[in-house]
Amino acid sequence: MSKNFENALEQVQQLTRWEQLALIASIAQLIGEDEPDIFPEYVIQENRRRLAAYDAGETQGIPYQEALAYVREQISGT
């Protein structure tokens, strides 16, 4: 991680939750304006279906640390 990124991350962590969410929305909008749709519609629909099942109590979520470990494992190829 670059020093500039570390500095920015430290500053973001000092923002209120509302300010962090506003920053995320701003960044997402900037990225969305310059990039074509990254995810095909079927991926978005599947994500919505899974979220609805979670919200309805039909399925359980994956604990954050477990999900993070899985993603890191997939990225590292181990």
Side-chain angles (χ1 to χ4, degrees):
M1 193 177 330
S2 74
K3 190 64 178 168
N4 286 339
F5 184 82
E6 287 178 12
N7 290 337
L9 184 58
E10 287 175 14
Q11 291 178 14
V12 168
Q13 290 171 336
Q14 293 176 16
L15 297 173
T16 66
R17 185 73 171 151
W18 186 90
E19 291 170 328
Q20 289 175 349
L21 292 171
L23 177 60
I24 290 168
S26 295
I27 292 171
Q29 183 178 7
L30 287 172
I31 291 171
E33 291 173 355
D34 295 336
E35 295 291 325
D37 290 337
I38 296 172
F39 300 107
E41 186 62 28
Y42 74 91
V43 172
I44 295 169
Q45 292 301 322
E46 178 63 12
N47 185 46
R48 288 182 180 149
R49 183 193 68 75
R50 290 179 183 208
L51 182 57
Y54 175 79
D55 288 343
E58 298 168 0
T59 188
Q60 293 183 337
I62 300 171
Y64 172 76
Q65 291 298 329
E66 185 180 322
L68 186 59
Y70 175 78
V71 169
R72 286 184 174 153
E73 197 175 279
Q74 295 301 307
I75 290 172
S76 69
T78 58

